[in-house]
Amino acid sequence: MSKALSGYRILDFTHVQSGPTCTQLLAWFGADVIKVERAGEGDATRGQLRDIPDADSLYFTMLNHNKRSITLDTKNPKGKQVLETLIKECDVLVENFAPGALDRMGFTWERIHELNPKMVVASVKGFGPGPYEHCKVYENVAQCAGGSASTTGFDDGPPMVTGAQIGDSGTGLHLALGILAALLQRQTSGRGQKVLAPMQDAVLNLCRVKLRDQQRLERTGVMKEYPQYPDTPFGDSVPRAGNASGGGQPGSILKCKGWETDPNAYIYFVNQGAVWDSVCKVIGKEEWLADPSFATPALRVNHMKAIFAAVEEWTKTKTKFEAMDILNKFDIPCGPILSMKEIAEEPSLRETGTIVEVDHPVRGKYLTVGNPIKLSDSPTDVTRSPLLGEHTEEVLGQLGYSEEQIADLRKEGVIS
Ligand code: COA
């Protein structure tokens, strides 16, 4: 079966996490992704956070499935020639080098556009144009600069980063979307274009509701769904909201049976207005149904701490899964706090291909997150990440290089 991006060729000049997540998605949609790595060491993540000596790390393998790998010294004049050929043959170049690195290599946008006017050149950078555009950036820097850290955590604690890699993987997703849009526009314009996804901007996009709240705060001085209300005064910027819901329905994380010893015996409970009657009945607080001070969502906001405390008295008598089952019978929105161990063992995620077991010639079997985006006519088959330079000869052969030329490039250290 052909795939959504069959026939598209991606020159994958990415490393670490943000860029590779983008090109991995393109590969899962069927593009031929050729990862160009530095001769000798390759993508630095191959050797980072290793759990098995001399095997590519899980960090690398889990971000580089379904790609081909070639080694190439792109600072060597002969390596540059190979890169030029690749640019002519590919539809998209994706890179996430430090600002200016591609230019210093001699591959400015103008040069690339001259070599292949149809090429889309897609970049992740830490920041867009402005005071920080020359800075190198990693995940947590972006979380801090994009508004996530200042709005995450508890009011009485420091800013906090989140475990979800919204700076790296989040930006990779944004970049992939930009690439697809540019490829669609190319169909009518006939031209490639530059696509830029700055990590600060991508994080801010994901923190959109907090900029909403900043303006609400400036207008009204108070946000009733925040846990600060009504006891703690608000300052002049959006405070950290603990585990409060970011939307119009109040929510909180509540203890479940076993919380004293199990760090994940908790459930997220949403006090949705539409199911208030059911909530009162399930937790045995029918008297609230007749109490005028609890009659509307707007009035109940004034009692939110007491409401969550009462629901928690009930959830503490149930495991998170029992609470989930009971509450869902009444359409009460909630979700168990799942540990990574529980997620890794969840059969339904295996069945949908969201968690996949992959076999690797050096490390053996390991689990990975498969394609979370499901296309009915373009199913994803997750294949293992390439060994460093595994496809160098194959790709150079397809580009027209003879065996002798390839041997010469190897002798000169252009490829390894
Ligand atoms: N052959 C020869 N040289 C190569 C090469 C190849 N195949 N691939 C890369 N290089 C060179 C680059 O040209 C660069 O050289 P220069 O500094 O002389 O110009 C050098 O390798 C290092 O690249 P750089 O991107 O600066 O790597 P780094 O390890 O110092 O920095 C980051 C890593 C992630 C901080 C940086 O790349 C960055 O800020 N990227 C943009 C933001 C980003 O994606 N961050 C998230 C990472 S998950």
Side-chain angles (χ1 to χ4, degrees):
M1 185 192 268
S2 79
K3 299 280 169 74
L5 294 183
S6 292
Y8 287 96
R9 207 174 258 175
I10 314 293
L11 199 177
D12 180 6
F13 221 175
T14 69
H15 64 155
V16 205
Q17 184 181 166
S18 63
T21 56
C22 166
T23 50
Q24 178 169 259
L25 275 173
L26 301 178
W28 280 339
F29 291 139
D32 176 14
V33 175
I34 302 166
K35 185 169 173 104
V36 177
E37 296 181 76
R38 211 191 305 228
E41 71 187 87
D43 186 327
T45 60
R46 285 186 184 269
Q48 286 173 354
L49 312 177
R50 270 197 171 128
D51 56 326
I52 300 176
D54 302 327
D56 285 336
S57 69
L58 286 166
Y59 194 10
F60 177 83
T61 55
M62 291 177 71
L63 291 167
N64 289 286
H65 294 103
N66 297 62
K67 303 180 184 177
R68 299 196 283 171
S69 162
I70 72 166
T71 53
L72 194 62
D73 180 354
T74 54
K75 287 190 174 163
N76 177 303
K78 290 200 173 151
K80 284 186 205 287
Q81 280 171 13
V82 177
L83 193 63
E84 286 184 7
T85 314
L86 272 167
I87 288 171
K88 286 178 191 158
E89 293 295 320
C90 290
D91 299 280
V92 185
L93 183 156
V94 191
E95 63 92 21
N96 68 313
F97 291 126
L102 204 57
D103 293 354
R104 286 193 290 278
M105 222 181 261
F107 292 91
T108 59
W109 157 250
E110 290 73 21
R111 176 73 185 129
I112 295 170
H113 197 59
E114 183 182 62
L115 289 166
N116 179 356
K118 292 184 79 176
M119 177 164 257
V120 171
V121 179
S123 304
V124 169
K125 294 289 166 259
F127 294 90
Y132 302 126
E133 69 183 298
H134 301 297
C135 299
K136 287 186 177 182
V137 167
Y138 283 105
E139 170 69 50
N140 288 343
V141 177
Q143 287 198 26
C144 293
S148 178
S150 67
T151 54
T152 302
F154 290 91
D155 205 21
D156 57 359
M160 190 157 287
V161 295
T162 155
Q165 303 286 282
I166 57 176
D168 282 338
S169 292
T171 307
L173 272 168
H174 283 78
L175 191 71
L177 188 56
I179 290 169
L180 297 181
L183 286 174
L184 278 178
Q185 191 174 4
R186 190 179 78 168
Q187 288 177 2
T188 47
S189 73
R191 278 194 317 277
Q193 62 183 295
K194 286 187 276 184
V195 179
L196 171 66
M199 294 168 74
Q200 179 186 38
D201 305 38
V203 171
L204 176 59
N205 184 35
L206 298 174
C207 289
R208 179 172 294 261
V209 297
K210 299 298 179 181
L211 185 56
R212 171 201 69 192
D213 289 349
Q214 180 62 33
Q215 295 169 86
R216 291 173 59 221
L217 182 65
E218 284 168 16
R219 197 176 303 278
T220 63
V222 73
M223 293 183 292
K224 290 188 173 177
E225 80 283 12
Y226 273 62
Q228 286 76 5
Y229 178 81
D231 313 317
T232 313
F234 285 83
D236 63 359
S237 63
V238 174
R240 296 186 261 289
N243 289 315
S245 146
Q249 308 288 346
S252 192
I253 287 186
L254 305 178
K255 291 170 181 154
C256 290
K257 197 172 178 177
W259 66 272
E260 299 90 339
T261 51
D262 177 353
N264 295 306
Y266 289 82
I267 193 163
Y268 200 91
F269 178 87
V270 181
N271 194 30
Q272 192 202 19
V275 289
W276 172 242
D277 288 13
S278 301
V279 171
C280 293
K281 285 177 193 156
V282 169
I283 66 169
K285 282 280 188 187
E286 277 97 339
E287 67 268 25
W288 281 346
L289 291 173
D291 186 336
S293 67
F294 284 76
T296 65
L299 288 167
R300 288 196 288 275
V301 164
N302 300 317
H303 307 287
M304 213 37 81
K305 287 194 179 73
I307 293 171
F308 286 136
V311 179
E312 190 170 63
E313 281 311 304
W314 179 84
T315 55
K316 273 159 68 177
T317 67
K318 310 277 179 264
T319 68
K320 60 190 175 187
F321 297 113
E322 288 167 351
M324 176 81 179
D325 285 347
I326 297 168
L327 294 171
N328 269 293
K329 286 200 181 86
F330 297 92
D331 283 339
I332 299 170
C334 59
I337 307 305
L338 295 182
S339 69
M340 265 306 148
K341 185 171 189 309
E342 288 165 333
I343 289 170
E345 291 165 358
E346 170 57 46
S348 65
L349 291 173
R350 302 279 183 115
E351 275 158 32
T352 58
T354 294
I355 296 211
V356 189
E357 189 175 72
V358 184
D359 205 359
H360 186 277
V362 185
R363 71 164 30 259
K365 289 191 166 47
Y366 66 95
L367 286 186
T368 195
V369 183
N371 192 346
I373 305 167
K374 319 293 183 189
L375 270 62
S376 61
D377 273 356
S378 183
T380 298
D381 308 305
V382 178
T383 60
R384 69 168 174 85
S385 59
L387 302 175
L388 179 60
E390 186 175 345
H391 305 96
T392 305
E393 284 174 15
E394 178 183 294
V395 170
L396 290 185
Q398 286 171 349
L399 292 176
Y401 284 81
S402 68
E403 279 179 23
E404 293 75 38
Q405 286 172 312
I406 295 172
D408 285 345
L409 289 173
R410 195 176 295 286
K411 236 182 269 157
E412 292 173 46
V414 178
I415 58 176
S416 65

